[in-house]
Amino acid sequence: MFNSIYQLYQTLDSFVIFSFLSYTLLILCGFKEIFRNIHCNHIVFSILYILFSILPYIAVRLGLSFIYLNFTSAERTPYWFYFVCVIFISVICAHIFLAGTLFSKLVYVLYFMTFTQLYKMVCSPLYSREFTMEPNLYRTLDMVTTLILYILLFLLSRLFRKVRFSTPFPMSRFKGALILYFPIGFLLFFGISSNSEATYSVQQIAILSGILLTNLPIIYYFLATIIRSYEDQRRLDDALTQTRTQLARYRYSLEIQEQVKKERHELKNNYFYIQTLLADKKYEQLDAYISQAIGEKMSKLTDIQTGNTLIDYLLNRKIQEAQKYHIKTYTEIIIPDQLSINEEVLCTILLNLLDNAIEASKTESEPDIQIIIKCVQNYLLCKISNKIGHNVLAENPELSTTKEDVPNHGLGIKIVRSAVENQNGVLNFEYEKGYFTASVMLPFSQPV
């Protein structure tokens, strides 16, 4: 019984790997548009695709075996025939039915098969003992190692799906050759050195070492390219941030100019109206007008002017946003005109803390937010407190988001932590007397 299972495993092993490869390509690339329009269950259509791929695989493999055995003196076809069939048929079928470029499909197939053969080489000490080990023990270990291979291929497929190989822009032939050099070189080595023995000669090991050795500069090239691309993207993001900051300043200046024009026009009207009331000696009406109209407007003036345009813009905007939700705001802001602190970092911290405070205050019955920004020795102290009806730190010490869309929420605290750490500052959260308080202390680069 065990022998029959082992024989069945040997027969189906190559078909399982081929089917796994076909399904991986299907998941990565998807069907072409012409096949997507076919009204058929996706699972059924996927199974049909795999079966359609297996049939020519069987035919080509049998055909090559027949040709090889009839025109050579060998008793059986070499193992590398299997790799030729898998690569050829899988790439052709994928190119006919699946979307994506032929080059990307070839990359997936070659790296998939190279990984498979490398695993076989890792297991070569076991294969070398096929005729010296107890048969049932060898067969058991052979099947177990193959099962491990299937698991590793599944993980490799997950890696392909998570980090997809894409070529949105035309790729140079040089880079394409570098990408394909290792799998093609290794598989050619395996095809040339394939024989009935499980061990490799000194010459074969030298060839393999040469292939691995020449891949080190290629790995370095792509690693350096990735790092350089990351640095270029970081510099681009910094430049965009500075541009957005400048635009925000210009926008705020324009808003101030427009507000000044409106206030000047309204002041002119108020002046003439007051003159009219004085000329008509309507003192009671004048008193009522001054106390109601002008007094009410004066009580609503909340413009903060620290001398720092960007911080003024941010604080005034957030206070106005809080007022829209009927949230009272109390401020104590005393800072110098020139801060020896990265203002973009400071604004990032204030923006996220104020957003969190406003969001938390929306559910309170009588909400209020207290904003304190002042210099304490050689530190800038920023305290944002908001009224809250429960001890959020006791219920959620890590301050993780409680919203369903986790990937798109809960980033504010992480951003603040990162910004504070980068500035060698101190971040602290506390709950006291019905208020949740976030305190940040940022060191000045120069003494104030």
Side-chain angles (χ1 to χ4, degrees):
M1 179 66 179
F2 184 73
N3 291 339
S4 301
I5 295 175
Y6 184 71
Q7 293 296 328
L8 179 63
Y9 143 75
Q10 285 189 315
T11 303
L12 297 179
D13 177 40
S14 62
F15 297 103
V16 171
I17 293 177
F18 181 84
S19 300
F20 202 103
L21 174 58
S22 299
Y23 181 72
T24 299
L25 290 172
L26 174 61
I27 294 298
L28 291 170
C29 302
F31 287 108
K32 288 185 176 180
E33 189 66 29
I34 187 173
F35 297 107
R36 294 177 191 169
N37 297 329
I38 298 177
H39 298 288
C40 180
N41 186 277
H42 179 74
I43 297 177
V44 175
F45 202 41
S46 300
I47 295 174
L48 291 176
Y49 165 73
I50 296 174
L51 291 176
F52 183 84
S53 302
I54 289 178
L55 291 178
Y57 165 67
I58 296 174
V60 172
R61 185 172 177 181
L62 290 177
L64 290 175
S65 300
F66 176 80
I67 294 172
Y68 186 84
L69 292 176
N70 281 273
F71 290 93
T72 64
S73 58
E75 296 181 358
R76 62 178 183 177
T77 55
Y79 188 59
W80 61 267
F81 266 45
Y82 155 71
F83 282 92
V84 173
C85 295
V86 171
I87 295 173
F88 179 77
I89 297 301
S90 59
V91 171
I92 293 299
C93 292
H95 186 59
I96 294 174
F97 292 97
L98 304 182
T101 63
L102 178 62
F103 181 77
S104 62
K105 297 167 189 171
L106 183 61
V107 169
Y108 288 133
V109 171
L110 289 178
Y111 276 86
F112 187 96
M113 297 308 299
T114 303
F115 183 90
T116 303
Q117 185 51 35
L118 281 172
Y119 181 83
K120 296 287 185 181
M121 288 186 63
V122 172
C123 298
S124 58
L126 172 65
Y127 302 148
S128 65
R129 300 187 61 186
E130 180 178 2
F131 302 105
T132 59
M133 187 180 292
E134 197 276 322
N136 286 338
L137 177 60
Y138 173 80
R139 292 166 184 169
T140 301
L141 292 176
D142 188 18
M143 288 191 291
V144 169
T145 54
T146 303
L147 177 61
I148 295 174
L149 172 62
Y150 295 158
I151 296 173
L152 292 177
L153 289 178
F154 170 76
L155 295 177
L156 181 65
S157 175
R158 292 290 299 270
L159 175 64
F160 286 163
R161 278 179 273 178
K162 187 174 183 179
V163 187
R164 295 175 182 264
F165 181 82
S166 59
T167 54
F169 303 104
M171 179 178 292
S172 66
R173 294 181 181 179
F174 173 72
K175 289 185 178 180
L178 292 182
I179 292 172
L180 297 179
Y181 171 72
F182 175 74
I184 291 178
F186 184 83
L187 291 175
L188 284 176
F189 157 78
F190 176 69
I192 295 172
S193 61
S194 178
N195 51 45
S196 58
E197 299 178 358
T199 59
Y200 292 92
S201 65
V202 176
Q203 292 81 2
Q204 292 168 343
I205 293 176
I207 296 173
L208 179 60
S209 299
I211 294 174
L212 296 175
L213 182 65
T214 51
N215 268 276
L216 288 178
I218 297 175
I219 294 172
Y220 171 79
Y221 170 77
F222 282 111
L223 181 62
T225 302
I226 291 171
I227 294 175
R228 187 168 62 249
S229 299
Y230 172 79
E231 288 297 321
D232 291 342
Q233 184 63 44
R234 185 186 62 81
R235 285 193 290 268
L236 178 60
D237 291 340
D238 290 342
L240 289 174
T241 300
Q242 294 177 4
T243 302
R244 294 192 187 101
T245 302
Q246 289 181 343
L247 289 175
R249 289 174 174 174
Y250 294 150
R251 190 180 296 112
Y252 181 55
S253 299
L254 289 174
E255 290 179 355
I256 291 176
Q257 291 178 6
E258 290 296 324
Q259 185 65 27
V260 168
K261 290 179 181 179
K262 292 180 180 178
E263 294 291 341
R264 185 182 300 166
H265 179 72
E266 187 173 354
L267 181 61
K268 184 179 179 180
N269 293 335
N270 291 336
Y271 174 74
F272 283 119
Y273 186 63
I274 291 173
Q275 274 190 327
T276 302
L277 293 177
L278 284 173
D280 295 341
K281 299 182 179 181
K282 298 179 179 179
Y283 301 119
E284 293 183 0
Q285 190 174 347
L286 175 62
D287 181 65
Y289 174 75
I290 293 176
S291 60
Q292 292 180 5
I294 299 180
E296 183 179 353
K297 291 178 181 179
M298 292 295 294
S299 64
K300 289 183 178 180
L301 289 178
T302 59
D303 278 356
I304 294 175
Q305 296 180 0
T306 65
N308 188 300
T309 307
L310 184 59
I311 295 177
D312 292 345
Y313 175 76
L314 185 149
L315 291 175
N316 286 317
R317 276 301 181 91
K318 286 303 166 184
I319 291 174
Q320 291 175 8
E321 181 180 341
Q323 290 175 346
K324 289 181 181 179
Y325 296 103
H326 307 288
I327 303 172
K328 295 180 180 179
T329 55
Y330 303 93
T331 63
E332 181 185 343
I333 302 173
I334 307 173
I335 59 176
D337 295 345
Q338 299 297 326
L339 287 173
S340 57
I341 293 177
N342 188 314
E343 64 177 16
E344 281 80 11
V345 174
L346 177 58
C347 287
T348 297
I349 294 171
L350 292 175
L351 178 64
N352 284 280
L353 292 181
L354 288 171
D355 281 341
N356 289 344
I358 293 172
E359 185 69 23
S361 299
K362 290 179 182 178
T363 57
E364 298 298 318
S365 57
E366 296 181 0
D368 70 77
I369 296 175
Q370 300 174 8
I371 305 171
I372 300 176
I373 305 175
K374 60 183 179 179
C375 298
V376 179
Q377 296 182 353
N378 288 325
Y379 287 86
L380 180 70
L381 172 63
C382 304
K383 292 181 66 174
I384 310 296
S385 303
N386 60 277
K387 185 183 291 185
I388 190 168
H390 59 284
N391 190 346
V392 65
L393 286 175
E395 300 172 2
N396 186 8
E398 298 298 325
L399 298 177
S400 302
T401 180
T402 56
K403 297 184 178 180
E404 295 181 358
D405 190 9
V406 175
N408 294 322
H409 294 94
L411 298 177
I413 298 298
K414 294 180 181 179
I415 293 173
V416 171
R417 289 186 193 277
S418 177
V420 173
E421 289 175 2
N422 290 336
Q423 298 296 313
N424 297 318
V426 179
L427 173 64
N428 184 49
F429 299 103
E430 60 181 354
Y431 176 81
E432 186 178 4
K433 297 180 180 180
Y435 282 87
F436 173 80
T437 302
S439 301
V440 175
M441 295 189 71
L442 300 176
F444 293 111
S445 57
Q446 298 176 355
V448 178

